[in-house]
Amino acid sequence: MRKRFHLALILFMALLSVACRNDVRHYHIGVSQCSEDIWRDKLNKEMLMTNYINNNVDIDIQSANDNSKKQIEQINDFIREKVDLLIVAPNQLSSISSAIDKAYQAGIPVIMFDRKTNTDKYTAFIGADNVEVGRSMGKYIAEKLNGKGTVVEIMGLKGSSPVADRHKGFIEAVSKHPGIHVISLQGNWKEDNAYDLMKTFLRKRPHINCVFGHNDRQTFGAYRAAKELGLAKKIMFMGVDGLPTRGGGIECVQKGIFSGTYIYPTRGTEVMNLAKKILEHKPYRRENLLKSFVVTKDNADMVMIQNHELERQGQNIDMLHHKVSSYLKSYNNQKIIIFLCVILVILLLVSLLSVYHIHLTRIRMNEKKEAMAKAQLTFFTNVSHELRTPLTLIADPVDQILSSGNLKGQNLSLLKMVKRNVNVLMQLVNDILDFRKIQSGKMKLQLSRFDLVKEIRELTDEFRPSAERKKVTVDFSSSDEEFEIVGDRDKIVRIFTNLFSNALKYTSFNGRISVNVYQTNSNEAVFTVQDNGTGMQQDEVDRVFDRFYQARDASGGTGIGLALVKDLVELHHGNVKVTSKKNEGSVFTVTLPVTQKGNVGEITQPENVIPVMGSEGTLGNQEQELKKEKVTNALDDDAPTVMVIDDNDDLREYIKNLLSVSYHVLEASDGKRGLELAREYIPDLVISDIMMPVMDGLEFCNKLKSDRTTSHIPVILLTARSMDDQRIEGYQHGADAYITKPFISKLLLARIDNLLSSRIRLRELFSGSREETEKESKLGNPDQQFVEQLRIVIRNMMGHSSLKVEQIGEKLGLSRVQLYRKVKALTGSTPVDLLRNARLEEGKHLLETTGKTVSEIAYMVGFTTPSYFTTCFKEKYGFSPNETR
């Protein structure tokens, strides 16, 4: 049925796409104008009008407002948008060439119109022949002046190609008439600028015959200046653009203000036709020069009439286009509505059938889930029953041996560790069996009257040693000194123990756990356990009390602890809830009725409740500090340092006892704290669990190997994860060895010895010989890079006799202590030894290859005196520097 629903939905989408399909490809064209003016407004309008025919083209027009930097940004934006074609009117000849090159190299066709740049990386050019514009105006002016007179040329913005071309054509034409004297003024296309230039010029030299402005605005500005000075009637004014607008060049010719203007063609439709040819891969010309003519008093009226007629026709086309678009939109809407109504009816029928099918499927899935959960629980229960007998046979003999008092020292410590972990396993077995009792409805409350505040306070105090070991602060508060409730004391103790163990498990080093007990106005007892640990995502919060559920960052466990808490609370007719934020912590709140229905017995001590910390370990001897351990045997200061990271206290203690005979030992309860200690102490090797709170072993390993300070440290992952893909994952995160639990101590010690021996063999690479570079390839990539950089720094700085280790460390981004420990671990030598050996090696090389004196070479390689150089040289090589030659 679900397949039918999917098929119907696919059919609907296919039909809808057919109904609305447009097989014509859609194009996005970006236009970057150099400025905004009347001429460019006309061009933009003509380009946009072509959309009436080419409705598959989107045109995005932007203006740089005579700012080259802004135009470069616009072009780069169009490149990032991956436009299909770019049209550019460059602001200047050279400033934006690089941006145009970038667009062209990105595979975007580029059309330059009106102007060019000094790059040839463009697809096509379209625009007027500006050399011909200048030439035509020069011929016309020379003819009108009969080959004699003074002409002021007001040029446009410096650096733009129309300015250079118009000036070139104009000078070319008037140079044929020696009687014409040309004075060129540099403008910027603006009317006010031309007005200021002309006014200043005419005050000094009022006797001129003609003004030629590179556009009509400049010419009109010059006219205004001449008119104010009473000189306008004596001067002939010529411009370029010839726009038919109000106040434009043609109107100025009609009114006798200008003697003439050259129509500079816009031809926006031709620009878009060229763009379409390029996009549709049709033949086109790369250079497209637009022809035009000079408008004078003789033809100005006719030209104006023609332009007015074209403008009127354009307005009619606009109106017709809007009407046709409105009719088509209405028609398409009606067609789509009818089509959707038909499809909607079909979908409703399919949906009804699908909902019915989904309902049946959910019922079947729930039945399967219940059956699976029951099978899991039955399996766990059977295994738990089977475990109780061997656990009893372990626990009782252990108790007898401990009570005999015959054991001392390490043997006594190991047996106590066995006892604690047997209790942990027994508690886990009891949890599973109790969980089964609750699920089968056989769990009953053994009611008694007791002081809840006192009970929770004492339990909190029992956890304090475990918390202190992790440097976790524990706060306890209560609104009342005491208040009694009726409930199953044993089960309430278990509820609190589970919640506090979880809080301690997922609270990092130097964290905080707060316990609060209070009574509400509605006669309910409430206690909360709050931590600032790792926290959970909202989807994890919603499922945290589900049977067998484990959060993504869970470090071991069975997934029944919090489910058991919820069941025990509900057995008391209470409720438990949790609020949590990732990386901020969690708050568990338990609310219980103060009284319960049933017979209340005598106050009893809790039975079979062992306060544990899950994988954090049991309560017990917890006065150890997380610092570098000095072992009982008098180890040499040069003995290797090994760091053990595991969230199980007993396992850490056991491994420490194994290693303390031969190694200094560091301890950490999670990856985050381990990383801090590794950066501080630079151990020779790290043994780490994988499944830990705060930061797991894989993340720790990855960060350790990515840090220049610690990348050389070998890592052994010691974990219960035994699948091949889990081993591969460990090695991919940088592990050097992978050992699964339960492990054999001799295997672990052998693997440690092999890894440290490999490191010792690597030190032989650093004897100071000039062949070291070839041998560096035996190192891992991060270590190889570090050693290569160290060698470069030493060689570049060895000539300074005042060179200190701190300066070398600063170049490598390490403190003096970190540099010393890393170099010592990699090479077996101190940085000072490496520096001295490098100086001696370079000195020996210079003695063999140059004619410099021993004193010169000693100072060159950084020795303070030649005598000290000689002493060190003879000590290293067995002969004096003079004997080298």
Side-chain angles (χ1 to χ4, degrees):
M1 185 63 70
R2 180 170 292 183
K3 290 182 179 179
R4 293 177 188 173
F5 175 73
H6 288 162
L7 288 172
L9 188 60
I10 293 169
L11 177 62
F12 164 69
M13 297 304 294
L15 291 172
L16 186 61
S17 66
V18 169
C20 305
R21 186 176 65 188
N22 187 351
D23 290 331
V24 180
R25 182 181 170 184
H26 211 81
Y27 298 107
H28 180 197
I29 295 177
V31 180
S32 177
Q33 291 277 21
C34 58
S35 61
E36 289 183 6
D37 52 48
I38 299 173
W39 186 85
R40 297 195 184 277
D41 288 343
K42 183 173 181 290
L43 172 67
N44 293 343
K45 187 175 181 181
E46 290 171 355
M47 287 194 293
L48 291 171
M49 191 176 289
T50 60
N51 277 358
Y52 298 164
I53 300 172
N54 305 320
N55 57 4
N56 64 322
V57 176
D58 286 334
I59 304 174
D60 184 359
I61 300 176
Q62 298 186 23
S63 171
N65 298 320
D66 296 318
N67 187 321
S68 296
K69 184 177 179 181
K70 185 175 181 180
Q71 189 164 41
I72 290 170
E73 291 175 357
Q74 289 174 354
I75 293 172
N76 287 333
D77 286 342
F78 283 136
I79 294 171
R80 282 191 288 272
E81 293 172 13
K82 297 181 179 179
V83 295
D84 297 294
L85 184 138
L86 181 63
I87 300 174
V88 184
N91 185 51
Q92 289 183 314
L93 189 65
S94 60
S95 57
I96 69 162
S97 297
S98 60
I100 293 175
D101 290 348
K102 184 178 177 182
Y104 188 78
Q105 289 166 357
I108 300 174
V110 178
I111 295 178
M112 284 198 278
F113 72 100
D114 172 34
R115 307 174 175 197
K116 286 187 177 181
T117 66
N118 55 10
T119 180
D120 62 348
K121 292 182 179 179
Y122 62 89
T123 309
F125 169 80
I126 183 168
D129 185 346
N130 279 294
V131 175
E132 180 58 30
V133 171
R135 188 184 296 120
S136 297
M137 296 304 285
K139 289 179 181 178
Y140 184 84
I141 291 170
E143 182 182 338
K144 288 295 181 181
L145 295 178
N146 295 319
K148 295 179 181 180
T150 300
V151 179
V152 175
E153 177 190 21
I154 304 178
M155 298 189 293
L157 183 67
K158 185 177 181 180
S160 65
S161 63
V163 172
D165 290 345
R166 290 176 190 179
H167 176 72
K168 177 182 176 182
F170 181 71
I171 296 300
E172 179 186 314
V174 298
S175 63
K176 296 178 181 178
H177 303 276
I180 294 179
H181 177 57
V182 178
I183 301 169
S184 298
L185 302 179
Q186 186 65 60
N188 65 359
W189 301 117
K190 302 295 178 65
E191 179 182 326
D192 290 341
N193 174 260
Y195 167 83
D196 293 336
L197 288 173
M198 200 67 216
K199 195 169 186 178
T200 301
F201 179 84
L202 288 175
R203 282 174 176 166
K204 296 178 181 179
R205 299 182 60 178
H207 302 295
I208 64 171
N209 304 99
C210 179
V211 173
F212 167 46
H214 278 204
N215 68 6
D216 288 340
R217 286 179 296 163
Q218 290 180 303
T219 304
F220 190 75
Y223 168 77
R224 282 172 48 210
K227 185 178 180 182
E228 285 185 17
L229 297 174
L231 301 172
K233 293 183 179 180
K234 299 177 182 179
I235 301 172
M236 180 171 67
F237 294 92
M238 301 293 293
V240 176
D241 277 347
L243 291 173
T245 56
R246 184 181 180 86
I250 297 177
E251 185 178 278
C252 287
V253 174
Q254 286 179 312
K255 292 180 177 180
I257 296 172
F258 293 178
S259 297
T261 181
Y262 192 95
I263 293 182
Y264 194 61
T266 51
R267 311 282 176 83
T269 53
E270 293 189 31
V271 174
M272 293 308 299
N273 287 338
L274 175 61
K276 284 281 287 182
K277 286 180 180 178
I278 294 171
L279 289 171
E280 294 174 356
H281 306 291
K282 294 180 180 179
Y284 64 91
R285 288 185 300 179
R286 190 167 190 253
E287 301 293 328
N288 301 270
L289 300 178
L290 305 175
K291 302 294 183 182
S292 191
F293 57 92
V294 179
V295 176
T296 64
K297 191 75 173 177
D298 298 334
N299 61 1
D301 292 338
M302 182 61 67
V303 171
M304 186 64 86
I305 290 170
Q306 290 176 345
N307 275 290
H308 282 329
E309 179 62 24
L310 288 173
E311 186 176 345
R312 188 183 64 80
Q313 291 179 5
Q315 290 173 349
N316 289 338
I317 292 172
D318 278 344
M319 182 182 67
L320 289 171
H321 173 74
H322 289 309
K323 286 186 176 180
V324 170
S325 296
S326 177
Y327 294 151
L328 286 174
K329 185 176 180 181
S330 177
Y331 169 74
N332 286 331
N333 287 342
Q334 291 174 4
K335 185 171 66 173
I336 291 172
I337 289 171
I338 294 171
F339 179 77
L340 287 176
C341 287
V342 173
I343 295 300
L344 186 60
V345 172
I346 296 172
L347 284 177
L348 284 173
L349 292 173
V350 174
S351 297
L352 288 172
L353 294 173
S354 179
V355 168
Y356 175 71
H357 174 73
I358 291 171
H359 178 67
L360 289 177
T361 303
R362 283 179 178 172
I363 292 174
R364 290 168 185 161
M365 286 180 64
N366 288 336
E367 290 174 350
K368 288 181 180 178
K369 285 181 180 179
E370 287 297 325
M372 187 179 297
K374 187 175 180 181
Q376 283 180 305
L377 199 54
T378 300
F379 172 76
F380 280 133
T381 304
N382 292 338
V383 170
S384 300
H385 279 297
E386 293 298 323
L387 285 173
R388 296 194 85 165
T389 298
L391 281 174
T392 302
L393 293 175
I394 295 171
D396 190 59
V398 167
D399 286 336
Q400 291 182 34
I401 296 172
L402 286 173
S403 62
S404 69
N406 294 327
L407 295 178
K408 294 181 181 180
Q410 186 174 356
N411 290 333
L412 179 61
S413 176
L414 289 173
L415 200 61
K416 285 182 177 179
M417 186 188 302
V418 172
K419 170 65 176 174
R420 289 196 300 271
N421 283 277
V422 166
N423 288 341
V424 172
L425 192 55
M426 186 68 78
Q427 184 64 57
L428 179 60
V429 169
N430 290 337
D431 281 349
I432 294 173
L433 294 176
D434 286 347
F435 190 65
R436 179 55 187 261
K437 284 182 182 179
I438 293 171
Q439 295 297 309
S440 61
K442 295 179 181 180
M443 177 69 78
K444 304 297 180 184
L445 294 179
Q446 303 297 319
L447 300 178
S448 62
R449 191 181 305 276
F450 62 94
D451 184 351
L452 181 65
V453 176
K454 178 185 176 184
E455 196 67 44
I456 299 297
R457 181 188 290 113
E458 289 177 354
L459 287 170
T460 302
D461 290 340
E462 288 182 14
F463 275 103
R464 287 187 188 277
S466 297
E468 287 171 2
R469 176 161 185 167
K470 290 186 68 176
K471 303 297 183 185
V472 172
T473 302
V474 177
D475 298 324
F476 177 86
S477 61
S478 174
S479 60
D480 301 281
E481 283 298 320
E482 60 179 36
F483 65 83
E484 287 189 343
I485 69 167
V486 174
D488 190 323
R489 185 180 181 188
D490 181 60
K491 293 176 177 56
I492 291 175
V493 169
R494 186 171 297 181
I495 291 168
F496 178 81
T497 301
N498 262 311
L499 294 180
F500 199 101
S501 297
N502 267 351
L504 193 54
K505 181 177 181 179
Y506 293 106
T507 300
S508 59
F509 196 79
N510 288 326
R512 180 177 292 273
I513 298 175
S514 300
V515 177
N516 185 26
V517 185
Y518 59 92
Q519 190 171 8
T520 67
N521 295 330
S522 55
N523 206 28
E524 291 177 320
V526 180
F527 62 85
T528 64
V529 179
Q530 179 177 359
D531 66 73
N532 62 351
T534 57
M536 295 177 284
Q537 302 283 6
Q538 186 56 47
D539 62 324
E540 296 174 307
V541 171
D542 295 338
R543 298 190 58 197
V544 72
F545 294 112
D546 291 353
R547 286 176 292 175
F548 308 117
Y549 176 73
Q550 290 181 291
R552 283 184 287 273
D553 295 333
S555 54
T558 59
I560 66 170
L562 290 177
L564 181 61
V565 165
K566 181 173 181 290
D567 288 337
L568 291 175
V569 169
E570 290 177 350
L571 198 61
H572 280 82
H573 310 289
N575 67 77
V576 58
K577 62 182 181 180
V578 59
T579 59
S580 184
K581 285 188 178 180
K582 191 65 177 175
N583 299 321
E584 292 186 18
S586 305
V587 182
F588 285 84
T589 303
V590 175
T591 304
L592 300 170
V594 173
T595 60
Q596 300 284 338
K597 293 181 180 180
N599 296 324
V600 179
E602 296 294 327
I603 297 177
T604 59
Q605 293 296 323
E607 296 179 0
N608 299 323
V609 178
I610 304 162
V612 296
M613 297 164 53
S615 62
E616 191 64 40
T618 66
L619 299 177
N621 181 20
Q622 315 227 341
E623 60 275 4
Q624 304 171 68
E625 295 292 335
L626 287 175
K627 62 183 181 179
K628 192 167 185 178
E629 298 288 341
K630 294 297 182 181
V631 296
T632 52
N633 293 339
L635 287 176
D636 192 317
D637 286 342
D638 291 333
T641 298
V642 177
M643 181 163 65
V644 181
I645 308 174
D646 200 299
D647 58 338
N648 188 294
D649 296 339
D650 284 334
L651 185 58
R652 279 204 317 273
E653 179 69 17
Y654 177 68
I655 295 175
K656 189 191 82 170
N657 288 336
L658 285 176
L659 303 179
S660 59
V661 176
S662 304
Y663 307 104
H664 296 296
V665 180
L666 289 166
E667 293 182 64
S669 61
D670 59 68
K672 182 181 177 183
R673 179 59 180 159
L675 195 61
E676 292 171 357
L677 291 176
R679 288 168 176 164
E680 182 179 356
Y681 291 104
I682 318 294
D684 296 282
L685 184 139
V686 174
I687 301 169
S688 176
D689 188 17
I690 290 181
M691 298 175 68
M692 296 181 292
V694 186
M695 181 189 291
D696 64 35
L698 294 177
E699 184 181 356
F700 162 80
C701 189
N702 192 53
K703 289 188 174 182
L704 186 85
K705 294 294 187 177
S706 302
D707 191 326
R708 168 178 285 186
T709 310
T710 57
S711 60
H712 65 284
I713 301 173
V715 177
I716 296 176
L717 290 179
L718 187 63
T719 176
R721 291 156 53 101
S722 59
M723 302 297 289
D724 287 343
D725 57 340
Q726 292 169 338
R727 289 174 179 270
I728 292 170
E729 185 181 16
Y731 287 120
Q732 287 174 340
H733 280 77
D736 297 270
Y738 194 101
I739 299 177
T740 58
K741 300 176 185 176
F743 63 91
I744 301 171
S745 58
K746 290 183 179 179
L747 173 63
L748 176 62
L749 292 171
R751 192 64 56 86
I752 293 172
D753 184 61
N754 285 340
L755 285 173
L756 292 178
S757 297
S758 297
R759 279 291 168 187
I760 292 170
R761 286 194 294 273
L762 283 176
R763 294 176 184 175
E764 298 172 2
L765 302 178
F766 299 95
S767 61
S769 66
R770 302 185 63 82
E771 289 77 18
E772 288 175 8
T773 305
E774 298 175 6
K775 298 180 180 179
E776 282 177 16
S777 59
K778 296 182 181 179
L779 290 170
N781 190 49
D783 294 340
Q784 183 180 349
Q785 291 175 358
F786 172 79
V787 171
E788 185 177 345
Q789 280 189 286
L790 175 63
R791 179 172 287 109
I792 291 170
V793 169
I794 288 176
R795 285 180 177 171
N796 289 342
M797 301 177 71
M798 69 168 65
H800 302 288
S801 59
S802 59
L803 179 62
K804 296 181 179 179
V805 173
E806 288 85 350
Q807 293 173 281
I808 298 174
E810 187 177 336
K811 290 286 185 182
L812 296 169
L814 300 175
S815 70
R816 186 181 188 281
V817 174
Q818 289 174 333
L819 177 66
Y820 177 87
R821 289 175 174 163
K822 185 172 180 74
V823 170
K824 184 76 172 173
L826 279 174
T827 70
S829 302
T830 67
V832 173
D833 292 337
L834 286 182
L835 176 59
R836 183 169 57 250
N837 287 339
R839 283 171 167 167
L840 290 171
E841 183 67 20
E842 181 64 18
K844 184 172 181 290
H845 175 67
L846 292 173
L847 285 168
E848 293 171 345
T849 58
T850 70
K852 295 182 184 296
T853 66
V854 172
S855 295
E856 288 175 325
I857 291 173
Y859 290 125
M860 283 178 64
V861 297
F863 279 89
T864 54
T865 63
S867 59
Y868 184 54
F869 171 70
T870 301
T871 300
C872 293
F873 190 94
K874 190 168 184 180
E875 183 181 323
K876 179 174 175 63
Y877 297 110
F879 51 86
S880 68
N882 288 324
E883 295 178 79
T884 305
R885 294 172 167 167

